[in-house]
């Protein structure tokens, strides 16, 4: 059986880097602006950036004129640059994050090149990372977590290259500084984990390098300056909101009800990293066997320590696990490369798993057909069915080419999926915002606050309506109905409120927009 040798086909590292970059950019940009912004992060960042775009105030972040103290400014600055170049749209809101997250794919290849003694595991690691659904989906959204991964990968790359070229260590501190300017105190956890790795690997080589400390100084100086300016301007309220509520409270409590079981992130891995999850036990065993090697130390240190940290946190959200995936991919890449070794057999359990995966994909296709789902989902399911079926056949033949089939099939299915209307499936959790936002814009003056009976305020509705729409309970709405106010009401609230003299301005998506009068 002929083996397809990836390391031979892509033996030129520059060629490999640019091929991976092109593949990543295509997957991250295809259909990028085809769906509305998602609550919460996208709506928040888009609205804050619109304030910056209109006012020209780059220093103090605001949300409809009110201080926005939740996050550092880097993502807002990047989106604002995108707005300046391409106008305000879904695509330009997501463009900076998609671009930077996609860069993580070829950068991870370079990390692998500096970790492994051979080219093949480096290539496979980057291809695994390229075809991980959580990385693509969250990296395409206008949110921080994808770019955090890229900055983290960049820091590690610079650290590894500094072993032979000490000046590269400057980039280590700059990468960490960019993380701090993006997501604040998360950098403490990531820097501490890398500190453990440094102590386990070659602490003298790293710590005695003056370029390392220069890079940390250069990387964190802008961070300290920005924080000093904010604290000097806002005082204690900035410390309370930005540090305590948005960072330290999340360690001990479930902020905004975002709680989960002890197994929350294990379930996230199971749900969204298939089929690469099948290779995780073998990759961790291999990393343990080669724990004296730099790659084994790095994968075990970051994967285990970061997973422990987020598991112990009170607040749990799906994207908190994102920094694990580069090391998940490195471990999987190292394990997959072993199948090209002579006389290396494939575990039978893999064969059964892919056969079951193909059956599950076929059932999904039948379900989509019966439910009349969009053609993109049906095609995605068919590609997965064929991918898993062909992989099963190659595994039975003990051919490592099943890995190539798997990568190509996953890439094609993800590309089709990203052109569908389902890649941001959270949009189905509530009403479509665009028709309601159009209703609000057409019938209310600028700079008006709208009050709604919906269960919670939606930042995406604020973004599209160019108005702030605040959720209120029944008691508050009854008081507002007696004043001159704009109310966005569902049918039940419209019937139950004292609105005898209210003027109906329009209807959309089950909501009624009314203007109440003080004479009610």
């Amino acid at each position: 059986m002929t083996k397809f040798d990836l390391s031979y086909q892509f033996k030129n590292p520059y060629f490999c880097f640019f091929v991976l970059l092109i593949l990543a950019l295509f997957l991250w940009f295809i259909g990028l602006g085809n769906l509305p912004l998602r609550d919460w992060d996208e709506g928040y960042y888009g609205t804050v950036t619109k304030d910056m775009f209109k006012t020209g105030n780059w220093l103090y972040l605001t949300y409809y004129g009110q201080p926005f103290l939740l996050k550092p400014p880097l993502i807002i600055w990047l989106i604002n640059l995108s707005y300046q170049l391409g106008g305000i749209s879904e695509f330009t809101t997501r463009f900076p994050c998609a671009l930077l997250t996609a860069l993580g794919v070829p950068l991870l290849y370079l990390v692998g090149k500096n970790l492994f003694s051979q080219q093949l595991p480096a290539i496979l690691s980057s291809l695994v990372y390229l075809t991980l659904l959580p990385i693509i989906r969250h990296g395409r959204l206008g949110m921080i977590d994808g770019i955090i991964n890229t900055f983290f990968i960049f820091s590690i790359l610079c650290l590894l290259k500094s072993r032979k070229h000490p000046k590269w260590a400057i980039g280590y501190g700059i990468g960490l500084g960019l993380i701090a300017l993006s997501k604040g105190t998360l950098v403490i956890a990531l820097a501490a984990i890398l500190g453990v790795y440094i102590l386990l690997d070659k602490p003298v080589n790293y710590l005695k390098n003056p370029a390392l400390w220069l890079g940390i100084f250069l990387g964190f100086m802008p961070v300290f300056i920005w924080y000093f300016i904010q604290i000097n301007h806002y005082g204690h309220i900035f410390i309370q909101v930005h540090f305590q509520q948005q960072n330290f409270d999340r360690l001990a409590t479930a902020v905004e009800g975002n709680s989960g079981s002890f197994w929350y992130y294990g379930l996230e891995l199971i749900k969204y990293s298939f089929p690469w999850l099948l290779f995780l036990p073998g990759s961790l065993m291999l990393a343990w066997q080669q724990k004296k090697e730099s790659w084994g130390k790095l994968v075990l240190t970051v994967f285990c320590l970061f997973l422990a940290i987020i598991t112990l946190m009170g607040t749990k959200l799906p994207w908190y696990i994102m920094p694990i995936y580069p090391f998940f991919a490195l471990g999987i890449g190292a394990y997959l490369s072993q199948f090209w070794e002579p006389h290396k057999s494939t575990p039978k359990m893999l064969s059964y798993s892919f056969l079951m995966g193909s059956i599950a994909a076929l059932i999904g296709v039948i379900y989509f057909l019966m439910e009349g789902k969009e053609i993109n989902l049906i095609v995605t399911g068919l590609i997965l069915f064929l991918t898993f079926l062909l992989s099963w056949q190659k595994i039975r033949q003990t051919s490592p080419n099943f890995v190539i089939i798997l990568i190509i099939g996953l890439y094609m299915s993800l590309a089709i999926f990203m052109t569908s209307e389902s890649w941001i499936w959270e949009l189905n959790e509530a009403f479509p915002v665009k028709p309601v936002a159009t209703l609000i814009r057409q019938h209310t003056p600028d700079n008006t606050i709208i009050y709604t009976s919906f269960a919670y305020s939606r930042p995406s509705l604020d973004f599209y309506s160019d108005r702030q729409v605040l959720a209120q309970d029944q008691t508050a709405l009854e008081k507002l109905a007696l004043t001159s106010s704009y109310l966005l009401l569902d049918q039940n609230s419209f019937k139950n409120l004292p609105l005898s003299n209210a003027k109906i301005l329009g209807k959309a998506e089950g909501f009624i927009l009314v203007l109440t009068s003080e004479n009610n």
Side-chain angles (χ1 to χ4, degrees):
M1 185 63 62
T2 303
K3 297 180 181 179
F4 184 86
D5 190 349
L6 272 175
S7 59
Y8 176 77
Q9 299 294 331
F10 298 100
K11 58 184 177 181
N12 186 319
Y14 298 103
F15 175 74
C16 189
F17 181 92
F18 285 109
V19 167
L20 289 168
L21 178 61
I22 291 168
L23 289 173
L25 290 175
F26 177 80
L27 200 53
W28 262 263
F29 286 157
I30 186 172
L32 187 62
N34 66 347
L35 291 177
L37 300 188
R38 188 187 78 170
D39 297 319
W40 299 83
D41 289 14
E42 283 199 304
Y44 275 133
Y45 298 147
T47 304
V48 173
T49 307
K50 283 173 73 173
D51 268 22
M52 182 180 290
F53 181 79
K54 293 174 181 177
T55 64
N57 182 4
W58 290 66
L59 194 55
Y60 302 108
L61 308 183
T62 59
Y63 190 95
Y64 283 107
Q66 299 300 312
F68 182 80
L69 309 179
L70 304 183
K71 301 292 182 184
L74 183 57
I75 187 172
I76 309 299
W77 290 344
L78 294 174
I79 296 173
N80 192 32
L81 284 173
S82 183
Y83 284 179
Q84 300 286 342
L85 294 173
I88 299 174
S89 68
E90 291 89 352
F91 182 88
T92 53
T93 302
R94 294 171 179 147
F95 174 79
C97 302
L99 175 63
L100 287 172
T101 308
L103 286 174
V105 174
L107 285 177
L108 189 66
Y109 160 72
L110 295 181
V111 168
K113 282 274 294 176
N114 285 271
L115 278 175
F116 302 113
S117 58
Q118 296 179 328
Q119 170 106 319
L120 183 58
I123 297 173
L124 291 173
S125 298
S126 59
L127 290 173
V128 169
Y129 190 68
L130 173 69
T131 51
L132 278 167
L133 176 61
I135 295 299
I136 299 165
R137 206 173 77 89
H138 290 303
R140 286 162 54 93
L141 295 172
M143 56 191 302
I144 299 170
D145 302 85
I147 67 175
I148 292 295
N149 273 22
T150 298
F151 295 152
F152 197 35
I153 293 169
F154 175 75
S155 288
I156 293 168
L157 173 63
C158 293
L159 187 69
L160 295 173
K161 289 188 74 67
S162 71
R163 293 183 298 191
K164 293 183 178 179
H165 308 282
K167 290 183 180 179
W168 272 89
I170 294 175
Y172 169 77
I174 292 174
L176 292 180
L178 291 171
I179 294 173
L181 206 56
S182 302
K183 208 167 184 178
T185 55
L186 173 66
V187 73
I188 298 174
L190 297 181
I193 292 171
L194 286 186
V196 173
Y197 168 71
I198 288 173
L199 293 176
L200 292 174
D201 194 37
K202 298 176 180 178
V204 175
N205 292 0
Y206 293 125
L207 299 177
K208 286 190 175 182
N209 183 357
L212 179 79
W213 303 107
L214 175 61
I216 291 173
F217 173 79
L218 294 175
F220 281 87
M221 182 56 63
V223 180
F224 292 141
I225 292 173
W226 185 81
Y227 274 113
F228 174 80
I229 292 172
Q230 304 305 305
I231 294 172
N232 184 62
H233 184 75
Y234 293 111
H236 177 72
I237 188 66
F238 179 84
I239 297 173
Q240 182 179 15
V241 173
H242 185 87
F243 289 107
Q244 183 175 333
Q245 294 180 11
Q246 280 296 305
N247 291 281
F248 300 125
D249 283 355
R250 293 172 182 260
L251 296 175
T253 61
V255 175
E256 297 174 353
N258 294 307
S259 60
S261 67
F262 184 80
W263 306 106
Y264 181 90
Y265 292 109
L267 294 174
E268 285 296 309
L269 275 175
I270 292 171
K271 287 190 295 184
Y272 299 120
S273 64
F274 186 86
W276 299 124
L277 177 74
L278 298 173
F279 305 96
L280 180 60
S283 69
L284 292 178
M285 288 180 60
L286 180 64
W288 179 255
Q289 292 168 2
Q290 299 187 22
K291 57 183 179 292
K292 292 184 179 180
E293 301 292 330
S294 288
W295 83 265
K297 293 175 188 175
L298 182 64
V299 168
L300 290 174
T301 300
V302 182
F303 187 91
C304 296
L305 288 181
F306 192 78
L307 184 60
I309 290 171
I310 58 176
T311 297
L312 295 174
M313 285 178 61
T315 301
K316 290 182 170 59
L317 290 167
W319 44 90
Y320 282 6
I321 198 174
M322 289 277 282
I324 275 181
Y325 285 116
F327 310 93
F328 174 98
L330 286 168
I332 301 295
Y335 181 70
L336 290 176
S337 68
Q338 289 198 317
F339 292 116
W340 269 264
E341 295 179 0
H343 310 298
K344 177 68 177 180
S345 60
T346 308
K348 289 185 178 180
M349 186 58 68
L350 277 180
S351 175
Y352 299 140
S353 298
F354 280 109
L355 179 60
M356 293 178 64
S358 66
I359 294 171
L362 183 59
I363 292 172
V365 170
I366 295 171
Y367 171 77
F368 293 150
L369 285 168
M370 293 176 62
E371 293 293 318
K373 298 293 185 180
E374 58 177 313
I375 189 65
N376 303 61
L377 290 181
I378 297 170
V379 173
T380 298
L382 283 172
I383 293 174
L384 289 175
F385 163 69
L386 293 173
T387 298
F388 295 150
L389 187 63
L390 292 173
S391 297
W392 168 67
Q393 291 179 337
K394 290 297 181 182
I395 290 172
R396 289 185 64 197
Q397 297 168 4
T398 65
S399 169
N401 292 342
F402 80 90
V403 177
I404 309 301
I405 293 171
L406 200 54
I407 290 168
I408 294 173
L410 289 174
Y411 185 87
M412 292 174 60
S413 63
L414 286 167
I416 298 297
F417 182 62
M418 292 305 154
T419 62
S420 75
E421 296 181 358
S422 301
W423 71 272
I424 311 180
W425 53 74
E426 294 90 347
L427 295 177
N428 297 322
E429 295 174 357
F431 62 91
V433 294
K434 281 192 169 183
V436 179
T438 300
L439 172 69
I440 292 171
R441 286 199 314 273
Q442 290 176 346
H443 297 285
T444 62
D446 293 341
N447 303 316
T448 302
I449 296 178
I450 318 298
Y451 302 96
T452 181
S453 59
F454 193 65
Y456 53 88
S457 300
R458 298 187 61 186
S460 60
L461 183 58
D462 293 354
F463 175 86
Y464 286 110
S465 64
D466 285 326
R467 320 280 192 276
Q468 193 168 12
V469 184
L470 299 178
Q472 302 291 317
D473 59 23
Q474 185 71 16
T475 302
L477 288 171
E478 289 175 355
K479 294 179 180 179
L480 288 166
L482 302 176
T483 66
S484 180
S485 304
Y486 288 94
L487 305 181
L488 182 68
L489 306 172
D490 59 73
Q491 296 287 346
N492 289 334
S493 297
F494 180 77
K495 292 177 182 178
N496 296 329
L497 289 175
L499 300 171
S500 56
N501 293 328
K503 180 181 179 182
I504 297 177
L505 302 177
K507 301 178 181 180
E509 299 296 331
F511 287 94
I512 304 170
L513 181 64
V514 302
L515 173 60
T516 61
S517 170
E518 295 181 3
N519 297 324
N520 280 352

